[in-house]
């Protein structure tokens, strides 16, 4: 059989034929014309973006009988031998299978010999990141000072694994993934040359799955042609490659709008039963959600969307049902789910569970607005409470919810927040009290347990609370504490209560306080 796959048959042979790497083509072309060609290059990038192809083109450019020239003839002995992989002076080495020290030493030995016929001796090492650390170290000296007319070209998909000592000795070029439109145009050119009839939408689906790799897209094209023959429709492409069509995506999003989890799970199961790739469906749904968001925020979405695969009328209708925040939350959920699906053998289960999170997506709330609503709710919750003093005492003033300061209101919640900045423990105890009276003259706080009451009623705490209130409201407010509303009198300030109990308190002082008083008067230390 004479069949040759598209990735080999349509491989570029000149810089002018290289797609999507204009920045690299310009740099290398200028280096050739200015005769400033480096002795070591490092090409990095994802698979199928042209790293090895560019290395071969550079080898032809430097060794063409009419060169060095940026436009090699393609017909001379060196051009044809390099294209066929038969040139003695241009060696392609697989770094994965030749990654040891001994292989590198053999390479260094061969470097010392002059070229057999070509102008330059070129070593192309693919997947160079697979070399061992010892192999890299053995290569350093030769890489830094190679013999005359020897050039190294390294290619890797994992730049992070290349030692800095190697990077510093090379001119590094990063190859970009190809855009969907660039891949589609190339596939369309191939189909025209091969007399293949294929719908534009089908080519775009193939390009999308290619994910920036021309080689992957060309391999998928060969697969589709093998299934459909010389005439290919979009449905055949979707069937062969396991792509979920646009109508299914529209239905899926409609179910999300209607909040129908059972129907969503059923549709997911139908997709899987049809042999579709649930991982690719997740990516397609991410793109669809992105398209809805673009329609939502843009006045001219046509310039940002692929109109061949998007139903703008449908997107507009669906965009009206969503808040922009909801779409962002949904996209974030799908992004995390895609990663989780790749790591698990239960990808369908993970996706189905994520549907519940998609349904519960809600717009974001501003934290300032939420705090204000909470404060308002707490303020309105404070109700007038009768005085719990003796029968003869008049009814207390009706408590208000705020204290005014310069036309601004100060709530009890704000007072507690002010206290917490300096004495967080006191603020914790105040959470356990109930506000009985709250106005510009006095505040009555009721406690239900003796322990908390005792902790709060110290003169230092009461004074600090007064100062905090004055800082916020400018009012001199008396603070009263109540332990048991049925027995205690709220009308007696704590300072007066303390003064009347001084004598009894002195008699009831614990031994530790008595000792401390003696130390304060007479000095000395305690010996245990």
């Amino acid at each position: 059989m004479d069949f040759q796959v598209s990735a080999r048959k349509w491989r570029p042979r000149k810089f002018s034929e290289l797609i999507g790497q204009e920045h690299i083509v310009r740099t290398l072309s200028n280096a050739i014309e200015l005769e400033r060609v480096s002795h070591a290059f490092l090409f990095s990038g994802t698979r199928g973006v042209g790293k090895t192809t560019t290395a071969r083109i550079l080898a032809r450019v430097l060794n063409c009988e009419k060169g060095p020239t940026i436009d090699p003839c393609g017909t001379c002995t060196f051009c044809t031998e390099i294209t066929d992989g038969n040139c003695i002076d241009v060696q392609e080495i697989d770094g994965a299978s030749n990654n040891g020290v001994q292989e590198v030493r053999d390479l260094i030995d061969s470097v010392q010999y002059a070229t057999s016929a070509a102008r330059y001796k070129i070593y192309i090492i693919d997947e160079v990141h697979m070399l061992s650390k010892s192999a890299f170290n053995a290569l350093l000296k030769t890489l830094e000072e190679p013999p005359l007319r020897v050039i190294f070209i390294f290619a890797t998909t994992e730049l992070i694994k290349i030692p800095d000592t190697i990077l510093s000795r090379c001119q590094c070029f990063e190859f970009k993934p190809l855009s969907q439109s660039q891949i589609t145009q190339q596939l369309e050119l191939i189909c025209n040359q091969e007399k293949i009839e294929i719908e534009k939408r089908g080519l775009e689906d193939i390009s999308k799955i290619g994910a920036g790799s021309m080689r992957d897209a060309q391999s998928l094209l060969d697969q589709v042609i093998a299934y459909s023959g010389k005439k290919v429709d979009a449905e055949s492409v979707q069937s062969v490659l396991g792509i979920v069509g646009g109508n299914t995506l529209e239905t899926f999003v409609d179910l999300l709008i209607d909040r129908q989890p059972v129907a969503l799970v059923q549709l997911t199961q139908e997709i899987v039963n049809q042999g579709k790739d649930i991982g690719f469906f997740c990516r397609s749904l991410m793109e669809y959600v992105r398209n809805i968001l673009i329609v939502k925020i843009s006045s001219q979405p046509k310039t940002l969307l692929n109109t061949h695969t998007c139903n703008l009328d449908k997107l507009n209708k669906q965009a009206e049902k969503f808040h922009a925040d909801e779409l962002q939350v949904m996209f974030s959920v799908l992004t995390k789910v895609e990663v989780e699906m790749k790591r698990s053998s239960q990808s369908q289960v993970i996706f189905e569970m994520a549907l519940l999170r998609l349904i519960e997506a809600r717009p974001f709330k501003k934290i300032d607005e939420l705090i204000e609503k909470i404060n308002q709710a707490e303020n309105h919750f404070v109700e007038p409470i009768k005085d719990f003093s003796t029968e003869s005492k008049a009814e207390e003033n009706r408590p208000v919810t705020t204290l005014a300061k310069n036309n601004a209101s100060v709530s009890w919640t704000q007072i507690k927040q002010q206290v917490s900045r300096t004495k967080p423990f006191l603020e914790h105890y105040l959470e356990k009290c109930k506000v009985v009276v709250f106005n510009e003259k006095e505040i009555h706080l009721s406690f239900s347990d003796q322990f908390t009451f005792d902790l709060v009623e110290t003169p230092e705490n009461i004074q600090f609370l007064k100062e905090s209130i004055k800082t916020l409201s400018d009012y001199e407010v008396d603070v009263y504490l109540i332990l048991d509303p049925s027995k205690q009198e709220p009308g007696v300030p704590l300072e007066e209560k303390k003064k009347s109990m001084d004598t009894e308190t002195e008699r009831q002082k614990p031994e530790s306080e008595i000792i401390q008083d003696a130390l304060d008067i007479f000095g000395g230390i305690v010996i245990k």
Side-chain angles (χ1 to χ4, degrees), residues 200-218:
K200 182 79 170 181
R201 187 155 57 94
L203 289 176
E204 291 172 344
D205 286 338
I206 295 174
S207 303
K208 187 187 301 181
I209 299 182
S213 171
M214 180 66 75
R215 184 174 64 239
D216 287 3
Q218 290 172 340

Side-chain angles (χ1 to χ4, degrees), residues 49-116:
V49 294
K51 301 184 296 297
T52 306
T53 296
T54 303
R56 292 180 179 178
I57 294 175
L58 183 58
R60 282 192 290 271
V61 164
L62 294 173
N63 286 321
C64 178
E65 292 180 355
K66 298 181 179 180
T69 174
I70 61 174
D71 188 21
C73 66
T75 57
C76 68
T77 302
F78 297 118
C79 285
T80 55
E81 287 182 350
I82 293 173
T83 301
D84 298 335
N86 299 325
C87 183
I88 298 176
D89 293 320
V90 178
Q91 297 186 26
E92 291 191 29
I93 302 171
D94 178 20
S97 56
N98 297 277
N99 57 3
V101 176
Q102 186 57 48
E103 286 83 356
V104 172
R105 287 175 179 171
D106 294 341
L107 183 150
I108 294 173
D109 290 340
S110 66
V111 166
Q112 310 303 322
Y113 299 100
T115 60
S116 60

Side-chain angles (χ1 to χ4, degrees), residues 20-40:
Q21 311 299 341
E22 291 78 9
H23 62 298
I24 296 175
V25 170
R26 178 176 179 179
T27 304
L28 294 177
S29 298
N30 289 341
I32 299 297
E33 292 178 346
L34 298 174
E35 298 182 355
R36 297 178 61 87
V37 180
S38 175
H39 64 275

Side-chain angles (χ1 to χ4, degrees), residues 250 253 257 287-296 301 305-307 309-322 327:
E250 293 174 2
V253 173
I257 294 174
E287 183 181 14
Y288 194 88
V289 171
R290 174 260 184 193
N291 290 340
I292 297 177
L293 182 58
I294 292 297
V295 171
K296 185 79 175 178
L305 299 177
N306 190 333
T307 55
T309 57
C310 296
N311 185 337
L312 282 179
D313 293 336
K314 185 65 174 180
L315 289 175
N316 277 313
K317 292 179 181 178
Q318 292 177 333
E320 294 175 357
K321 304 294 184 179
F322 288 106
L327 296 171

Side-chain angles (χ1 to χ4, degrees), residues 327-339:
L327 296 171
Q328 292 185 37
V329 172
M330 292 169 63
F331 188 88
S332 177
V333 170
L334 291 171
T335 301
K336 294 178 181 178
V337 168
E338 185 196 11
V339 176

